[in-house]
Amino acid sequence: MSSPTRREHLARAFERVKTEPGLARNSIVVVALIAIAAVVGGIVLANQRFVAPWDNRQVFYANFAATPGISPGNGQEVRIAGVNVGDIVGADVDENGHARVEMSIERGHHLYENAHLVLRPKSPLNEMYVTIDPGKPPAKEIRDGYTYPEANTVRPVQVDEVLDHLDDNAQRALTSLLAESDVALTNAKTDLPGGLDATRTVSNDLRPVSEQLALRKEKIRTLITALGQISQAVGGDDKRLATLAGGLQTTLHSFGTHEPQFDQTLAELPGLVHNLRRSTDAVQDLSDQLDPTLRHLDDASEAFPDALSHLRKTSDKLDDVVDAAKPFLDALRPVVRDLRPFVNELSDTLPDLRVAVDRLDPMTNALLPYLSDLGAFTIQTRSIVSLEDANGGILRGIAPVTAQTLPPVLGANNGLRPLPPPPGLDEGTTALQKLVPVGPGGQPSVPQDGSEPETRPAQTPGGNDSGEPGLLHAPSTAGSSSGGLLPLPGKKN
């Protein structure tokens, strides 16, 4: 026979609860109590910042010199920038005798090895919490289980530690002050503000005194230490002490013997100090002038390596140029040697050549009006006698044919009547001569009729009747505003 299944067991139990009197009511009460207990426990755990074991949190440790008031598991907070991010979950002592605190925080907060942890009291009852400065790169981010050393932590200072630094009189006075504080603070609302202001004023006035007293105390401590060392050294070496006393006596005797010289030296000391001050001021002025120079030199030194590298490249290219020019210079050396006598003779000829060049200016001015006509004549003549035209080369020639050149087949001049001489040839001058009435040397043009020309005093080409060179008569053209006068180079019109 097979055993009953779980479903059958549940069915029998449910049937029993229904059939047995009072069992159903008791079962409902038990279930309700269990539900209420679960809800209340959940609320309590939530208010106590309960950390479930299955929560994914980051756990790390920190060593403190002392951890007064630490109570792990009681909701003591771990804060970053004042925000609660975790709890203190443990505390123990490491192998070096330092207090080690275990902390658990939420994931997503990045902590670095240069973080700073401070243990602070939340209230006068020493309810502690830890505030963390997370740090930042280039430090590494910590992993789970990392332990911060004591150098990264700060412990709280307790009241009893402050009171231990007071002597017996101060402790008794502080005890009396606390005992009488209830009586003294009866009218605190009206009297305490003025008293505190007066106390602050007195403390500010006494601060220099306390600072000087602290400095005096430190100096007295140093003096006592030095005197102890001196007395210990003197007591251990009497021979050196006797030698020191003898040397001191000799020194004082020398001072007494040379007192006038010593007084004279002291009298000259103010002048020496004045000169030294002037020298110091001069050195200061020199340093003020040297500072900008050194800064500019520093700036130039930064660009100097680049300039040297570019100069090195230039020198390399210059070496290539010199190497390439060496054959040319070798070939040029004999030519220069042969030209040296010619240059010497040319230097002797330059004065005469300068005079000839100066005389060429009037002749150049005289030829300028004829250059356009001469160019046109040259172009037309070249076109007549050329063997080419715009279409290329062609066989061309000039064959003048007149009645005089033909054979006399029809008689003299082949029956043509000779032409009479053209009128105007014997009338004096041609149209060209009228345009240019002045010939070479400033003389009138020679008439074509054979008559004697009119003579004038010899003039330099380019001169005028007043003897002032610089102007030459030229044919006037339409639109010309110079009135037929050409300016000479280098002369003012």
Side-chain angles (χ1 to χ4, degrees):
M1 183 176 179
S2 61
S3 59
T5 63
R6 181 180 300 177
R7 185 174 183 180
E8 293 175 348
H9 281 296
L10 292 176
R12 291 177 182 178
F14 184 71
E15 186 67 24
R16 180 183 178 186
V17 169
K18 289 192 304 179
T19 57
E20 185 174 348
L23 184 59
R25 182 183 67 251
N26 295 336
S27 299
I28 293 173
V29 171
V30 170
V31 171
L33 290 176
I34 292 174
I36 293 173
V39 172
V40 172
I43 295 174
V44 171
L45 292 177
N47 291 330
Q48 291 296 324
R49 293 184 293 274
F50 173 71
V51 178
W54 55 84
D55 285 348
N56 185 16
R57 298 171 69 90
Q58 183 178 8
V59 178
F60 60 95
Y61 302 88
N63 290 332
F64 289 87
T67 56
I70 288 294
S71 179
N74 291 328
Q76 292 183 337
E77 302 171 354
V78 175
R79 300 179 183 179
I80 296 179
V83 179
N84 183 16
V85 296
D87 300 298
I88 299 175
V89 297
D92 57 359
V93 179
D94 62 2
E95 61 275 6
N96 296 323
H98 297 151
R100 187 177 68 167
V101 177
E102 180 182 359
M103 288 164 279
S104 173
I105 64 173
E106 302 169 355
R107 292 285 181 182
H109 301 285
H110 301 283
L111 300 180
Y112 298 89
E113 293 181 359
N114 58 354
H116 192 68
L117 294 84
V118 180
L119 183 62
R120 290 179 176 175
K122 186 187 300 185
S123 66
L125 300 177
N126 269 359
E127 185 180 359
M128 296 295 179
Y129 72 96
V130 176
T131 178
I132 302 177
D133 180 6
K136 57 184 178 180
K140 297 181 180 179
E141 188 173 355
I142 67 170
R143 299 179 179 272
D144 290 349
Y146 180 80
T147 301
Y148 283 102
E150 188 177 341
N152 291 51
T153 61
V154 177
R155 71 177 183 88
V157 178
Q158 300 298 305
V159 178
D160 55 350
E161 296 181 23
V162 177
L163 297 178
D164 287 342
H165 290 283
L166 301 177
D167 55 11
D168 295 338
N169 294 331
Q171 291 181 2
R172 286 193 294 271
L174 182 59
T175 303
S176 301
L177 176 63
L178 295 177
E180 299 294 335
S181 59
D182 56 344
V183 179
L185 297 178
T186 303
N187 299 323
K189 184 180 296 185
T190 57
D191 299 337
L192 187 60
L196 292 178
D197 293 338
T199 303
R200 183 173 60 252
T201 304
V202 173
S203 63
N204 292 333
D205 294 339
L206 292 178
R207 179 180 299 174
V209 177
S210 62
E211 292 177 354
Q212 293 297 326
L213 288 175
L215 181 61
R216 177 176 174 274
K217 182 179 179 181
E218 184 65 26
K219 289 183 177 180
I220 290 175
R221 183 184 296 112
T222 305
L223 178 61
I224 292 174
T225 302
L227 289 177
Q229 294 175 354
I230 292 174
S231 60
Q232 183 179 0
V234 169
D237 196 348
D238 297 337
K239 184 177 181 180
R240 292 184 62 184
L241 181 61
T243 305
L244 178 62
L248 179 61
Q249 183 178 1
T250 305
T251 303
L252 294 176
H253 178 72
S254 300
F255 272 115
T257 306
H258 300 83
E259 185 176 358
Q261 292 84 352
F262 186 69
D263 293 340
Q264 184 179 359
T265 302
L266 292 178
E268 294 177 356
L269 187 59
L272 175 62
V273 173
H274 178 68
N275 294 333
L276 184 60
R277 184 179 297 107
R278 291 180 56 188
S279 301
T280 305
D281 295 338
V283 170
Q284 182 65 35
D285 296 338
L286 178 61
S287 64
D288 294 339
Q289 297 178 5
L290 283 179
D291 286 341
T293 304
L294 292 177
R295 285 195 295 269
H296 294 320
L297 185 60
D298 188 16
D299 297 338
S301 64
E302 295 178 357
F304 193 60
D306 296 336
L308 288 179
S309 62
H310 293 314
L311 182 61
R312 186 178 295 106
K313 295 179 181 178
T314 304
S315 63
D316 295 338
K317 293 181 180 179
L318 186 61
D319 291 339
D320 297 338
V321 172
V322 171
D323 295 338
K326 185 177 297 183
F328 171 75
L329 295 176
D330 295 339
L332 185 63
R333 188 176 292 108
V335 177
V336 173
R337 188 184 303 109
D338 296 338
L339 286 177
R340 186 175 288 110
F342 170 74
V343 172
N344 295 333
E345 295 178 359
L346 183 62
S347 62
D348 298 336
T349 312
L350 287 178
D352 299 335
L353 184 61
R354 185 179 296 107
V355 175
V357 170
D358 294 338
R359 295 178 180 178
L360 285 176
D361 291 340
M363 297 178 66
T364 304
N365 293 331
L367 288 176
L368 284 176
Y370 302 101
L371 290 180
S372 58
D373 296 336
L374 182 59
F377 174 76
T378 303
I379 293 173
Q380 297 297 332
T381 305
R382 183 178 62 189
S383 176
I384 293 173
V385 301
S386 176
L387 299 179
E388 295 182 359
D389 58 6
N391 297 320
I394 186 173
L395 182 61
R396 301 176 60 182
I398 300 176
V401 179
T402 63
Q404 289 78 10
T405 59
L406 293 175
V409 178
L410 302 178
N413 291 330
N414 289 317
L416 296 177
R417 182 180 299 175
L419 296 174
L425 292 176
D426 297 332
E427 293 180 0
T429 60
T430 64
L432 180 61
Q433 290 174 334
K434 290 180 180 179
L435 292 175
V436 187
V438 181
Q443 299 297 332
S445 302
V446 179
Q448 294 186 3
D449 56 1
S451 60
E452 294 294 333
E454 182 182 357
T455 60
R456 295 179 182 178
Q459 297 181 1
T460 304
N464 52 25
D465 296 339
S466 62
E468 296 180 359
L471 297 176
L472 177 67
H473 291 277
S476 62
T477 58
S480 174
S481 61
S482 61
L485 299 178
L486 292 177
L488 290 178
K491 305 295 182 179
K492 293 183 180 180
N493 294 337

